[in-house]
Amino acid sequence: MQPPDIDNSRTGLLGIPLWGRVIVGTLMVAGVVVVWVLNTWLTESFTENTRNRAELRLVLYSGNIQSELQRNSVVPLLLSRDPELISALREGNYAATSQRLMDLQSEIGAASIELLDNYGRTVAATDRNRLGMNLLNDMAFVDARRSSDTAFQVKERDSGGFSFTFSRTVRQAADFLGVVVVEADLSKFERSWAGFADAVALTDSEGRIILATEPRWRGRTEVEALALRDAPSAIARALRATADWAQDPPDAFLSGEAVLRSEIRVPFRGWKLISFTRYDSVRERVNGLLALVIMGFALLLALTFYVVSRRAWSQSALFQRESAELRALNMRLQREISAREKVQKDLAVAEQTLAQSSKLASLGEMSASVSHELNQPLAAMKTYLAGARLLLTRKRVDEAMASFQRIDDLIERMGAITRTLKSFARKGGEAFAPLDLRDCLTEALALMEPQLRSARVLVTRTVPQTPVRVMGDRVRLEQVIINLVRNAIDATQTSNAPRIDLIITQGDDITLTVRDNGTGITDLENLFEPFHTTKAAGEGVGLGLAISSGIAADHGGRLRGQNAPQGGAVFELRLPILDDALAAAE
């Protein structure tokens, strides 16, 4: 491998030294952070300012609407008591009535005024085209007759839009003479609203839009009105996506553009005023300030590049002289890496040999106890054979067959002991296979049964009812369990009631816990170091825990030891569950 002419640890592709790259990177990160924070803060500030101005306008609009309605609501009351109108209805003389209504209209600013007789016929009106119309079934006439007060109606016109009328009966004593209908001119507000906001709408108590700067909105709900827009083009969709990414989610979209929604309640029949203001003014002000900040950072970066590049060019000659030394160093490092890889391979072989030696040493220690275990069944078999021979001579075949069955059971027990020893004596390989950790625990305890009985240790097992599946080497996992149990037996030699708890739990991973009530761990820092032992000379070489930790690591898990709060030591063997182990292997 040919090394580069310039030291990559100190310079970049453009000859910029490491410290220069750090400064440039810091400036870029600082610029991004400052622009991001400033954009967020300015957007929130200007948005709040725009929202406040919109709400102030809505308060003004609400006051205008309320004032207009109150002024028009008084007119029917006054006209219902006008002697001239009462006399005209009584006598049926309406020659000057329409002109009088026109004069009143110009004074109060109403949209229209009509006078209906007791049959619902229009006998006087500011619009002479409506004279003679029969409004007997009209809401204004019907509501006025039903109510003793002024009635209010909102009606949708056939030509579009809505009319807002106040109606009141004209009576003399108990006689019903007619109805006065006054229409308030609220449509003038639509024209004035269009000059101050992008869109304004007035909704009734049912959420229906009755006044709006957008004619298509009238008679619809707010959701339906906002949905009325042309299909956006590809450029419009891209600009909208960019705007959504650059700012907080907008309140709504109006004609495909993000808008700020403001709302206040009008103190009249549950009406509400809603305005939609575009974010354009907010984004223009924010972008103007951000452009100044970005320009400042750009100038600062340009100055930094200039200073750094001059220093980099002055160092290039030195880097050229160092290139030959770097080539030689590179070759030397490659030779050292090859030597280190060979040492690591030798170390792996030695570690496997030590593990097998440790296992065989454990096997030798168990052989004496196992021989004692085999002597007991042999003695019992001899007794059963003598009894069976005697029973056969006495023709008691059934009882003799029972003795032979007991002998067969003893042979099976002896075979189980020897099979366990033979499997443990094998040298573990790298062929992992799915297995049940409960079976490994059972086999390990079967091997350690003589030592446990000799030490009079109480062993408790807590395992799940369902299989605990892991991917591993059965022999090597049994070796780990045996090492942990042997250490627990040694640690509980001075205890009055030695006890070992074995617990298997399954969650995100599988955990085998070995807890004892012995003397505990005196040196946690060097617990898994090779050849570190607290036993007396000749009783151990300090490789059991180191080998066990390596086996756990080979299985994708880990081995951890600590002192229990109530005394004694706790070792936890954590292994990945079968699915995770298969995924890691793949």
Side-chain angles (χ1 to χ4, degrees):
M1 176 179 177
Q2 185 71 15
D5 293 336
I6 297 178
D7 186 359
N8 281 332
S9 65
R10 300 173 59 185
T11 62
L13 295 177
L14 298 177
I16 300 177
L18 178 60
W19 61 270
R21 283 183 288 166
V22 171
I23 294 176
V24 172
T26 303
L27 285 176
M28 294 181 68
V29 172
V32 172
V33 172
V34 169
V35 171
W36 183 272
V37 173
L38 193 61
N39 175 67
T40 302
W41 179 73
L42 289 175
T43 301
E44 292 178 355
S45 177
F46 291 152
T47 300
E48 188 65 24
N49 189 17
T50 304
R51 191 188 299 275
N52 291 336
R53 290 201 304 270
E55 290 178 353
L56 287 175
R57 286 197 298 269
L58 289 180
V59 171
L60 177 62
Y61 299 160
S62 174
N64 293 338
I65 293 174
Q66 189 176 4
S67 176
E68 184 71 18
L69 291 173
Q70 288 176 351
R71 186 171 64 252
N72 284 272
S73 65
V74 178
V75 176
L77 176 62
L78 298 177
L79 294 180
S80 65
R81 300 175 181 177
D82 190 327
E84 294 185 11
L85 296 183
I86 294 175
S87 176
L89 290 172
R90 173 70 67 180
E91 298 174 1
N93 183 11
Y94 309 109
T97 306
S98 294
Q99 184 61 43
R100 176 171 175 75
L101 295 181
M102 292 179 187
D103 296 338
L104 289 174
Q105 178 190 17
S106 61
E107 293 178 6
I108 64 177
S112 66
I113 303 176
E114 297 181 4
L115 180 64
L116 312 179
D117 62 8
N118 55 354
Y119 296 106
R121 184 169 54 90
T122 304
V123 295
T126 56
D127 183 4
R128 295 184 182 276
N129 294 325
R130 296 183 62 84
L131 292 175
M133 295 181 63
N134 191 336
L135 303 178
L136 180 64
N137 297 323
D138 191 76
M139 290 176 54
F141 187 82
V142 174
D143 291 347
R145 292 203 61 177
R146 292 176 179 175
S147 175
S148 60
D149 202 351
T150 302
F152 178 75
Q153 301 86 27
V154 178
K155 298 185 297 181
E156 188 171 3
R157 297 191 183 98
D158 296 336
S159 59
F162 290 84
S163 64
F164 308 91
T165 58
F166 293 93
S167 60
R168 189 180 181 93
T169 58
V170 180
R171 297 179 182 272
Q172 187 177 34
D175 297 335
F176 170 66
L177 301 179
V179 174
V180 175
V181 180
V182 178
E183 181 182 354
D185 185 13
L186 298 185
S187 60
K188 61 183 178 182
F189 296 120
E190 294 179 326
R191 298 184 292 273
S192 63
W193 294 342
F196 296 97
D198 295 319
V200 180
L202 175 66
T203 63
D204 59 12
S205 58
E206 299 178 354
R208 180 182 56 171
I209 297 177
I210 53 180
L211 282 180
T213 55
E214 295 285 340
R216 296 186 300 173
W217 290 6
R218 300 188 190 110
R220 305 178 186 272
T221 63
E222 180 183 352
V223 176
E224 294 172 347
L226 293 177
L228 292 174
R229 61 186 181 88
D230 298 332
S233 62
I235 297 177
R237 289 195 298 270
L239 292 176
R240 173 172 171 176
T242 304
D244 294 345
W245 174 83
Q247 63 192 17
D248 292 336
D251 297 341
F253 285 96
L254 179 61
S255 298
E257 296 185 9
V259 293
L260 177 68
R261 182 183 183 277
S262 302
E263 173 189 317
I264 66 166
R265 292 188 175 275
V266 179
F268 183 80
R269 295 179 176 267
W271 288 5
K272 291 190 298 183
L273 261 176
I274 305 172
S275 71
F276 300 94
T277 307
R278 286 186 174 89
Y279 278 100
D280 295 346
S281 59
V282 175
R283 292 311 313 168
E284 288 174 359
R285 297 167 66 186
V286 173
N287 292 340
L289 292 176
L290 292 181
L292 295 177
V293 175
I294 294 173
M295 184 180 298
F297 273 103
L299 293 176
L300 187 58
L301 278 174
L303 180 61
T304 303
F305 269 114
Y306 174 73
V307 174
V308 170
S309 61
R310 288 196 61 183
R311 184 177 179 86
W313 282 110
S314 64
Q315 292 178 349
S316 61
L318 177 62
F319 295 155
Q320 291 291 339
R321 290 193 299 268
E322 293 178 351
S323 62
E325 298 178 4
L326 291 176
R327 293 190 189 94
L329 178 60
N330 190 16
M331 296 299 297
R332 188 163 59 252
L333 287 176
Q334 290 181 1
R335 289 194 295 270
E336 290 181 1
I337 290 172
S338 299
R340 184 178 295 273
E341 290 177 350
K342 183 177 182 302
V343 171
Q344 288 179 346
K345 292 179 180 178
D346 296 340
L347 181 60
V349 174
E351 186 181 63
Q352 189 176 8
T353 303
L354 284 174
Q356 183 67 10
S357 300
S358 175
K359 186 164 60 174
L360 292 176
S362 300
L363 188 62
E365 293 178 5
M366 291 185 288
S367 61
S369 300
V370 172
S371 64
H372 177 71
E373 289 294 319
L374 293 177
N375 286 333
Q376 291 179 354
L378 287 173
M381 288 170 59
K382 185 176 181 180
T383 303
Y384 284 134
L385 283 173
R389 186 181 298 110
L390 181 61
L391 291 172
L392 288 174
T393 57
R394 296 180 180 180
K395 307 300 183 178
R396 297 163 62 181
V397 178
D398 293 339
E399 297 180 13
M401 292 301 296
S403 297
F404 287 138
Q405 182 61 44
R406 294 190 187 97
I407 293 172
D408 185 65
D409 294 339
L410 290 174
I411 292 173
E412 286 294 331
R413 179 182 174 186
M414 294 171 64
I417 294 174
T418 56
R419 282 195 301 272
T420 305
L421 287 175
K422 287 168 62 179
S423 65
F424 186 70
R426 286 199 314 271
K427 187 173 183 179
E430 296 296 333
F432 284 18
L435 54 89
D436 190 346
L437 190 60
R438 301 180 304 171
D439 296 339
C440 295
L441 180 60
T442 301
E443 292 292 334
L445 289 179
L447 283 170
M448 297 300 296
E449 182 180 0
Q451 295 186 28
L452 292 170
R453 186 182 297 112
S454 175
R456 299 181 181 276
V457 178
L458 174 62
V459 178
T460 63
R461 279 193 293 177
T462 304
V463 297
Q465 297 295 328
T466 58
V468 183
R469 307 290 291 174
V470 298
M471 177 70 72
D473 187 336
R474 178 184 298 274
V475 176
R476 299 180 72 190
L477 289 178
E478 290 176 5
Q479 181 181 357
V480 174
I481 299 173
I482 289 174
N483 287 340
L484 296 179
V485 174
R486 286 183 58 203
N487 288 342
I489 294 173
D490 296 338
T492 57
Q493 288 180 356
T494 59
S495 299
N496 294 328
R499 177 189 178 96
I500 300 176
D501 298 326
L502 302 170
I503 304 171
I504 296 179
T505 57
Q506 185 170 355
D508 294 337
D509 52 14
I510 296 172
T511 304
L512 169 63
T513 304
V514 180
R515 182 187 297 116
D516 63 66
N517 60 347
T519 57
I521 304 171
T522 58
D523 189 359
L524 287 171
E525 184 177 355
N526 300 316
L527 182 62
F528 297 105
E529 290 295 327
F531 304 106
H532 172 75
T533 180
T534 58
K535 299 178 182 179
E539 295 184 2
V541 294
L543 289 175
L545 290 178
I547 293 173
S548 299
S549 178
I551 294 174
D554 292 342
H555 284 73
R558 62 189 179 92
L559 180 63
R560 186 169 68 94
Q562 61 182 358
N563 287 317
Q566 66 274 18
V570 178
F571 285 88
E572 291 184 353
L573 173 63
R574 293 182 178 271
L575 298 172
I577 60 177
L578 181 59
D579 293 341
D580 293 343
L582 286 174
E586 292 176 357

